[in-house]
């Protein structure tokens, strides 16, 4: 997987260190995570809060970084604020506010991405692009010792052609540029999965979320 990501960076004329690999370990057991960690992988992505907490408990002896990439309901924010390092799926202010209120003071700030609905009707999660600037400004104004807005995340609808796969990634990049022009110091574009990571890297992804291509099919 590291080789495929490096090739994608080189093809895009980018530094191979400019894209972080997030290993998506949902529905994989702790032993699969342990094996990946032994091979040097540090950052892991999970979709389901309880499954992630169980895995974290089983892997407490390892210095791993945990990213929540699945939908987050408000009744789960406290455990997420206490256990995760990153949340990629923030799409409303109420969730970000709760995470800021509930992040323990002794931990580093929780790193946040705003999930954007870049595919219109095809996806129900994520803030609409038109509503993104107001949400981003409000989240960026939350206490920076508790939460820090790092960037944007998207899960584009699957598409058959490279052009159709690249368009939503390009849109996410443009939305991030517009927020930077408003003065928000965003450094993260969380986009690209097993099937479209080359397209995402070509459009400026800084973090690809890869499950199947690392661990095989979930099952
Ligand atoms: C499952 C998942 C991934 C990884 O998908 P693969 O196709 O297995 O690489 C990435 N991002 C999110 C949000 C996911 O839910």
């Amino acid at each position: 997987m590291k080789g495929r990501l490096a090739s994608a960076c080189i093809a895009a004329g980018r530094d191979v260190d400019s894209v972080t690999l997030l290993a998506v370990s949902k529905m994989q057991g702790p032993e699969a995570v342990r094996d990946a960690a032994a091979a040097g992988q540090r950052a892991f992505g999970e979709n389901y809060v309880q499954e992630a907490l169980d895995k974290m408990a089983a892997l407490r002896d390892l210095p791993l970084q945990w990213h929540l990439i699945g939908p987050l309901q408000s009744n789960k924010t406290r455990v997420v604020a206490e256990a995760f390092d990153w949340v990629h799926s923030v799409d409303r202010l109420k969730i970000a506010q709760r995470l800021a209120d509930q992040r323990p003071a002794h931990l580093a700030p929780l790193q946040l991405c705003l999930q954007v609905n870049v595919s219109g009707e095809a996806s129900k999660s994520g803030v609409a692009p038109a509503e993104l600037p107001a949400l981003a400004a409000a989240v960026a104004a939350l206490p920076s010792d508790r939460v820090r807005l790092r960037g944007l995340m998207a899960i584009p609808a699957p598409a058959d052609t490279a052009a159709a796969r690249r368009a939503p990634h390009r849109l996410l990049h443009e939305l991030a540029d517009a927020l930077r022009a408003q003065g928000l110091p965003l450094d993260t574009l969380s986009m690209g999965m097993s099937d479209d990571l080359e397209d995402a890297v070509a459009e400026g992804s800084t973090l690809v979320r890869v499950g199947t291509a690392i661990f095989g099919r979930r099952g």
Side-chain angles (χ1 to χ4, degrees):
M1 184 61 227
K2 288 229 184 75
R4 183 176 157 195
L5 181 56
S7 300
C9 289
I10 290 162
R14 298 183 54 192
D15 192 322
V16 295
D17 295 329
S18 64
V19 185
T20 299
L21 176 60
L22 180 67
V24 175
S25 46
K26 65 174 174 222
M27 297 167 78
Q28 305 291 343
E31 289 315 313
V33 173
R34 196 173 281 284
D35 290 348
Q41 180 64 30
R42 238 192 112 232
F44 291 88
E46 290 282 339
N47 286 60
Y48 311 105
V49 173
Q50 189 55 51
E51 178 190 339
L53 296 176
D54 292 345
K55 232 171 276 182
M56 288 174 195
L59 297 164
R60 224 188 283 285
D61 56 309
L62 298 177
L64 305 179
Q65 187 185 71
W66 293 99
H67 296 233
L68 182 68
I69 60 173
L72 175 54
Q73 309 301 327
S74 52
N75 63 349
K76 295 274 177 62
T77 53
R78 183 173 297 279
V79 285
V80 168
E82 290 171 353
F84 281 83
D85 301 290
W86 284 68
V87 177
H88 294 231
S89 47
V90 174
D91 63 0
R92 51 210 153 100
L93 182 57
K94 180 184 170 195
I95 294 288
Q97 256 162 350
R98 290 175 66 94
L99 291 170
D101 289 345
Q102 295 166 346
R103 181 66 166 179
H106 69 276
L107 295 180
L110 187 62
Q111 309 295 306
L112 304 182
C113 290
L114 301 179
Q115 183 175 348
V116 184
N117 181 353
V118 288
S119 303
E121 291 302 302
S123 151
K124 292 184 198 77
S125 317
V127 60
E131 288 155 25
L132 175 64
L135 177 63
V139 173
L142 292 170
S144 62
D145 60 331
R146 302 305 165 96
V147 292
R148 202 150 300 167
L149 180 60
R150 295 292 297 273
L152 304 180
M153 179 273 231
I155 312 173
D160 290 335
T161 66
R165 283 193 301 270
R166 283 176 64 158
H169 294 131
R170 186 172 316 144
L171 172 59
L172 196 73
H173 193 167
E174 289 167 357
L175 292 168
D177 284 345
L179 295 175
R180 276 191 281 263
Q182 286 181 14
L184 299 184
L186 306 184
D187 63 7
T188 301
L189 274 180
S190 169
M191 58 185 199
M193 311 184 5
S194 294
D195 287 341
D196 64 356
L197 81 89
E198 284 82 5
D199 306 293
V201 167
E203 294 296 346
S205 171
T206 69
L207 182 152
V208 291
R209 309 178 309 265
V210 181
T212 324
I214 294 176
F215 295 108
R217 301 193 74 184
R218 290 177 278 273

